[in-house]
Amino acid sequence: KIVLLNFWATWCAPCIREIPELVKMKEKYENDGFEIIGVSLDEDGFEVVSSFLEQFEVNYPIVHDDYTYGNQIGGIFALPTTYLINREGKVVLRKIGEITMADLEPQILALL
C-alpha cells in the first residue's frame, strides 16, 4: 500500500485543522491501496486521544509514539510532520507543517 504517515498531537492547532482533510483522503483513496496512519505524540498517552478521535470521526488507524519511531524515520522537529511512503516502502515526500488534500493529491495520484 501507499502510506501517509502523519505525526500529530491533540494540542497542535495545525494538526487539528488538517484532520478533516486526512479523513477525506482516506475516504477517497482507501479502495486504491492507500492507507493513512496517524501517530499521536501526546505525552499524556492514548487516553487523551480516544475522545478526540470520536469527536472528529477519524476513519484511519491511530498509534501512539514517544518519538522513538519518529526519530527512526527521519526525526520529528515540528508538528504536524507527514511522510508519504510508496508501495516499496520508500519515503517519497516529507512535509513539515499543515497539509491539505490539494497539497498531496498530485503525489498520491502519481503513486497509485
Side-chain angles (χ1 to χ4, degrees):
K1 289 188 176 190
I2 297 160
V3 177
L4 186 77
L5 195 58
N6 178 255
F7 290 84
W8 69 287
T10 58
W11 48 261
C12 166
C15 301
I16 295 167
R17 286 193 303 267
E18 74 183 8
I19 285 177
E21 293 286 306
L22 297 174
V23 168
K24 283 191 266 184
M25 277 187 254
K26 171 72 172 176
E27 289 173 357
K28 187 169 183 178
Y29 295 112
E30 69 181 326
N31 293 328
D32 297 321
F34 176 74
E35 183 62 72
I36 297 174
I37 301 173
V39 184
S40 165
L41 295 172
D42 283 276
E43 293 177 3
D44 293 331
F46 205 74
E47 295 76 33
V48 297
V49 176
S50 58
S51 62
F52 184 89
L53 299 178
E54 289 177 24
Q55 176 186 354
F56 285 88
E57 299 179 0
V58 174
N59 59 355
Y60 50 90
I62 302 290
V63 297
H64 185 263
D65 184 34
D66 62 358
Y67 289 86
T68 302
Y69 185 71
N71 289 335
Q72 290 175 0
I73 196 169
I76 306 301
F77 305 103
L79 292 179
T81 296
T82 303
Y83 291 89
L84 185 61
I85 303 167
N86 69 14
R87 294 181 194 274
E88 291 74 40
K90 180 182 176 191
V91 173
V92 295
L93 176 75
R94 177 180 177 208
K95 169 81 165 100
I96 297 172
E98 187 175 346
I99 57 168
T100 65
M101 186 183 246
D103 292 335
L104 291 177
E105 201 161 33
Q107 290 88 349
I108 293 168
L109 290 172
L111 295 173
L112 294 176

